[in-house]
Amino acid sequence: MNVFAALKLIQFDHLPLNHAQVVMTDATGKPDSEFTGLLSDCLNKLDIFVDLATATTVSDVIDDLHLLTPLPYDVLEEYQKILEQPITQINFASHKQLVEFVYQPY
């Protein structure tokens, strides 16, 4: 599973996941500020310009962002990488009110 699939799959009370509560962590639960920042930036743009419910692939999302925003190609490429980032677990940290996407570092 990757980040994009998880974002499409997870709902709370039949509503989409609150993107402000998503963080990327390694297998030990240590947050990755670089990945989390990139994901947050990407999700903020998605909230404004893309209907995630109608997107079927990461390419659909990137194509929409390319058409609707002046974002440079290198930024779109980074967004594509974070959305395609494989994750090994999803942890619901209720005490922190966070959803942690756990990835395996290379």
Side-chain angles (χ1 to χ4, degrees):
M1 176 178 280
N2 62 24
V3 168
F4 175 76
L7 291 169
K8 292 203 42 93
L9 182 68
I10 298 172
Q11 292 185 343
F12 288 103
D13 296 325
H14 302 283
L15 296 172
L17 179 61
N18 179 349
H19 297 158
Q21 295 176 302
V22 179
V23 296
M24 300 289 293
T25 68
D26 64 16
T28 65
K30 180 181 174 192
D32 184 310
S33 61
E34 185 177 327
F35 269 10
T36 298
L38 177 59
L39 180 59
S40 177
D41 186 49
C42 177
L43 295 178
N44 286 334
K45 298 296 186 294
L46 295 183
D47 284 343
I48 297 168
F49 297 106
V50 178
D51 181 4
L52 197 57
T54 62
T56 56
T57 67
V58 173
S59 293
D60 291 342
V61 171
I62 300 304
D63 289 346
D64 285 349
L65 287 174
H66 178 70
L67 289 172
L68 300 170
T69 69
L71 292 169
Y73 179 76
D74 59 332
V75 171
L76 295 173
E77 191 174 70
E78 291 301 310
Y79 286 177
Q80 183 165 357
K81 286 179 188 176
I82 195 67
L83 292 172
E84 291 176 342
Q85 175 66 42
I87 56 175
T88 58
Q89 286 180 292
I90 300 170
N91 182 52
F92 296 94
S94 58
H95 63 286
K96 299 182 205 174
Q97 296 184 335
L98 293 175
V99 175
E100 300 173 341
F101 290 168
V102 182
Y103 72 96
Q104 190 69 35
Y106 298 110

